[in-house]
Amino acid sequence: AGRCVRVQPCDRGGVIMAPETPSDRSFRSLYNAIEGTSRLSPDDTGKLLTERRGVLKCGVAHFAPPDPSARTRVSALKDPLAQGASDAASASQVAFILRISEVLHLNEDLALELLRDYVTVNQLGSLSDVVAQLSINSLLTFYLDERLSLLMCIGSLVRNAANESSDTHDVAAAALRALLADGLVDSLK
C-alpha cells in the first residue's frame, strides 16, 4: 500500500494543500462539519468529505513518519512559509519544520502542513512572523488533537450514517459507503 499523505507537489517546489474550506483545513473542523456543528451546509460537508476521502481512508497512517525524500524537499524550500522572507528567516523556518518532524516523528511535508494549519486555525497571522515565537509544545497539543480528531471523524461518520434524523445522515452514509469500499477497515487494523 502507498503512503498516505494529504499534500500535493507545488510548482514552486515544496507542497501545497488544496483548500477544503477558505481558512481551516484541520481534522477538528472536518469533525465539526460531520457533526453538523459548523456553518457548512450538508451539501458542503459532502463535498468536503469527498475531498478528504483519501485521508480518512488512510486513518492514522496519514501521519507518516519522517522520510528522506520529504526532508530533502522541505530542506530545499527557499520560502517555506511566507512570500518575501529573507534567506536567514527561511533557513530558520526550515530548521523549525525539520525540528517539528524530528520531535513528533512526522513526515517533513506533514510537519510543514501541520505548522501552516496551526497558524491558520489559531489565526496567528503571518507564518514567517509566528515561527520565531512558537514552541514545539504548542504544536504538540495541536498535533495530538488532529490525530484524535481524524479518528473522531470516522466515528462521527458511523454514528451519523446510522442516525436517520441527523442533518448529515445522507452525506455521512454516502461517505462511509465510499470509505468502506476503499478499504477503510483494512487501514484501521
Side-chain angles (χ1 to χ4, degrees):
R3 205 181 71 190
C4 298
V5 295
R6 57 180 178 155
V7 292
Q8 302 170 348
C10 176
D11 59 359
R12 294 178 314 195
V15 294
I16 58 169
M17 270 287 293
E20 288 106 8
T21 64
S23 62
D24 186 350
R25 299 171 288 145
S26 69
F27 288 112
R28 176 61 67 172
S29 176
L30 180 60
Y31 170 75
N32 290 337
I34 297 167
E35 284 294 299
T37 59
S38 73
R39 290 179 275 152
L40 294 178
S41 70
D43 286 342
D44 288 339
T45 298
K47 290 175 188 172
L48 187 58
L49 285 166
T50 298
E51 292 170 9
R52 300 298 297 271
R53 182 170 145 190
V55 175
L56 290 169
K57 178 195 173 269
C58 290
V60 293
H62 164 71
F63 296 100
D67 175 68
S69 63
R71 183 175 192 81
T72 300
R73 265 192 313 277
V74 169
S75 295
L77 293 176
K78 297 286 186 232
D79 193 9
L81 301 178
Q83 295 181 18
S86 68
D87 288 339
S90 294
S92 67
Q93 292 167 2
V94 168
F96 188 66
I97 293 162
L98 296 178
R99 180 75 177 132
I100 293 167
S101 171
E102 178 185 329
V103 170
L104 301 181
H105 193 67
L106 183 64
N107 176 288
E108 291 81 352
D109 291 329
L110 294 173
L112 172 58
E113 181 184 336
L114 179 75
L115 180 57
R116 288 175 175 164
D117 288 349
Y118 177 83
V119 170
T120 300
V121 166
N122 291 291
Q123 300 176 347
L124 298 177
S126 166
L127 288 165
S128 57
D129 294 339
V130 171
V131 167
Q133 300 167 4
L134 273 178
S135 72
I136 296 289
N137 287 337
S138 58
L139 282 169
L140 175 63
T141 302
F142 181 73
Y143 168 69
L144 294 174
D145 185 65
E146 283 293 275
R147 287 186 70 115
L148 180 60
S149 294
L150 179 117
L151 294 174
M152 290 169 49
C153 285
I154 295 167
S156 182
L157 284 174
V158 171
R159 187 174 49 258
N160 284 294
N163 180 1
E164 292 182 9
S165 65
S166 168
D167 290 343
T168 58
H169 166 75
D170 292 340
V171 295
L176 187 59
R177 278 192 302 275
L179 286 168
L180 291 172
D182 285 349
L184 172 67
V185 174
D186 293 333
S187 71
L188 294 176
K189 290 181 181 177

